[in-house]
Each structure stands twice: as structure tokens, then as C-alpha cells.
Amino acid sequence: MRIIINSLLLICLLFISNLNCQEEDTSSVDFVLNGQNFDSTVKQGNWLVMFRLAVCDSCDRVLDEWERMADLFRRHPIPDFQMAFFVCDFGNKEIEICQQEAIYGFPTMKLYNKGVGTKYQGPRTVEAITVFLYNNQLIDKNYNFDAIPSPAPNPHYSKVVKSVQSVSKNIISLNPEKIAANANKNIFLVYMADWSGFWKKMSPIWDHVVDNVVREQGESETVVFGRIDCVSYSEFCAEKGVKVYPSLKFLSPQGNVESFFGKLNMENLTNF
């Protein structure tokens, strides 16, 4: 079972990394900080953090510019600089952190230099944020400002999504009753919502990942790959503490639940 899960996570890493179309991603949107690692992480180097809520239309509208910015910094990286999300209503610790950081509106962006935060208050565009980084001495006048991508849909995502458009037959649409009926099995479950921009990008990749795992490991009567629509079953998802979509969880027959969150790198996936 552990081999199957580790293989799934490894392939997931490879496919999500392919979204960036780069062999090495030195400035990544794959970071999702949480209440446990926030303070220690932002004390190391420079971090541009977007504070948001799990359900937030205004936050989702900024994602295109965020992706443009990540694309720029992948191609022309800034030394010791990373980008990350922080979901303020994920849990009590996250609420405490956002109060600590004086986050009252969403989304809010702050630049951290060795733990010291500076709030960004300008337009939420790549051009304006790049000037903000210049004013804070993260980049100098020799930076390739001409490389800022045009405000068009990020081609990295559409290229991969089109290549895996088919819906996997190996993933079962679950509801609370079906989850209970399969309680004697190992369930790798995605809690999803159709309105989530992250889910729309991840869905075809997830389908392809599962197909690869089943093809390599073979079908198993003790393992279920599923997804549950948290719009239709909002009360059930809330009872399970799901506030971010998509959320990946592993449910064992013994009743144990393991959640995956954080940066998608080899160390974190192995530890998970």
C-alpha cells in the first residue's frame, strides 16, 4: 500500500512540475505555508506571500497575475526569493497568524525579508509588483524588465491540460454513503469544488496520475481512488475539516486520516 501511495505522490510531483515546463523551478507557486511552518520559513530569505481565504472570488481573480509573475521569475529568477500562499481560515493556528500579521482584507500580499514583513499596497499586476521588488532592493536596474510576459493565459497549463483531457475511469465519484461503504479499503480521496481555479488545473493532471499508477501497479481491490464534490456535500466536507480545494487525504481502514499539504518536493512527499 505504501508503495502505491508513494508512487502516486511521486508521479503527481512530476506531472505538477511539468506545468512549469522547466527542469528547475527556483521561484515556485507550489508553496502553501501553514500555521506550523510560517514563522520559521519567512525568516529564511525573501518571501512574497499572498494571504487569502479558501473561498474568495477577489483572491481567485488575482491568480492570472500571480501565474504571470511566477512565470517571469522562473525564467529570470531572483536569488533567494520564493512565492507562497497562506490560507487564513484553514485552522485556528492560521487565523492566529493572520491576526499576528495584521491581515484584514483579502487578498493581501506581504514581502518578507528574514522575517520582517512589508505590506504591498499597489496594483495587483506583475509590472507594479516588480517595481515594488525593485524599490525593496530585491532586483536592480539590470533586471530584464522586458521579459515580463504579456497578460495572456499561461500556456504552460493549457499545454499540459490539453494533453490529458480524458476523464480517468479509475477515479470513482464518491458521496458520504459510498465512502462509508468502502471504509474497509484504503481510499486516496480528493475533496474538490468546481469553482476552484486550482482544481480546474489539477483535475486532468490528477486523472492522468491515477491512470499511470494503476497501469504500473495494477488494479487493487483494497485501494480506491476517489473524489467528492464539496459543493454538493458541503456539510460533510466541513465536518471533515476541509477548507481548501482541492485537498488530498488518505483514509485507512483503521480510521486514520493523513493529509498532504506543503511544497511538492521529494522530501515532503517521502515524509508524507
Side-chain angles (χ1 to χ4, degrees):
M1 180 61 215
R2 180 60 62 178
I3 294 175
I4 293 176
I5 297 303
N6 284 343
S7 298
L8 173 62
L9 292 171
L10 175 58
I11 297 173
C12 185
L13 168 63
L14 295 175
F15 271 86
I16 293 176
S17 296
N18 283 340
L19 293 175
N20 300 334
C21 297
Q22 293 285 343
E23 293 182 0
E24 188 174 7
D25 183 5
T26 57
S27 183
S28 175
V29 297
D30 289 337
F31 280 105
V32 180
L33 301 179
N34 57 62
Q36 283 67 48
N37 63 19
F38 177 83
D39 285 330
S40 60
T41 301
V42 298
K43 290 178 181 178
Q44 303 176 29
N46 300 284
W47 288 83
L48 181 64
V49 180
M50 182 197 294
F51 294 88
R52 61 163 295 155
L53 299 175
V55 179
C56 174
D57 289 341
S58 59
C59 303
D60 291 340
R61 285 194 290 269
V62 179
L63 292 181
D64 284 343
E65 288 299 301
W66 187 264
E67 289 168 3
R68 285 180 64 211
M69 190 160 46
D71 179 61
L72 170 66
F73 297 146
R74 290 187 194 104
R75 292 182 291 108
H76 301 278
I78 300 174
D80 202 22
F81 173 80
Q82 299 287 358
M83 298 165 59
F85 291 107
F86 190 92
V87 182
C88 286
D89 56 351
F90 186 80
N92 291 334
K93 184 62 177 177
E94 284 71 28
I95 293 173
E96 180 183 322
I97 291 291
C98 289
Q99 291 174 342
Q100 165 191 304
E101 298 301 312
I103 306 300
Y104 304 117
F106 302 97
T108 292
M109 297 183 190
K110 292 187 74 171
L111 176 65
Y112 289 88
N113 174 254
K114 297 181 179 179
V116 179
T118 301
K119 185 177 181 179
Y120 175 69
Q121 296 180 303
R124 294 161 181 161
T125 65
V126 176
E127 293 79 4
I129 294 173
T130 303
V131 172
F132 172 69
L133 298 179
Y134 172 81
N135 291 337
N136 283 273
Q137 302 181 341
L138 269 128
I139 54 179
D140 58 28
K141 63 181 181 181
N142 295 319
Y143 189 77
N144 189 1
F145 292 94
D146 293 333
I148 295 177
S150 59
N154 193 318
H156 302 327
Y157 294 100
S158 58
K159 179 179 179 181
V160 176
V161 168
K162 288 179 180 178
S163 69
V164 291
Q165 278 293 331
S166 60
V167 177
S168 172
K169 297 179 180 179
N170 296 305
I171 300 177
I172 302 173
S173 292
L174 297 175
N175 57 37
E177 292 74 22
K178 289 182 179 179
I179 293 174
N182 286 277
N184 62 331
K185 300 179 182 180
N186 297 285
I187 305 175
F188 203 88
L189 181 62
V190 175
Y191 295 82
M192 46 74 66
D194 285 334
W195 51 258
S196 169
F198 294 116
W199 169 246
K200 291 175 182 178
K201 290 163 185 170
M202 175 188 170
S203 176
I205 307 301
W206 172 251
D207 292 346
H208 199 76
V209 166
V210 172
D211 285 344
N212 272 274
V213 171
V214 173
R215 183 164 52 250
E216 292 185 4
Q217 303 289 339
E219 295 184 3
S220 172
E221 295 182 357
T222 63
V223 180
V224 173
F225 298 108
R227 67 181 73 180
I228 183 168
D229 182 1
C230 288
V231 175
S232 300
Y233 302 101
S234 57
E235 291 185 6
F236 176 82
C237 294
E239 289 174 1
K240 300 301 179 182
V242 177
K243 297 182 179 179
V244 179
Y245 307 105
S247 288
L248 283 68
K249 294 180 182 289
F250 170 63
L251 288 61
S252 76
Q254 293 75 32
N256 299 321
V257 178
E258 296 183 56
S259 301
F260 177 81
F261 56 89
K263 180 173 172 58
L264 290 172
N265 60 30
M266 186 63 69
E267 180 181 0
N268 289 342
L269 292 174
T270 301
N271 289 340
F272 177 68

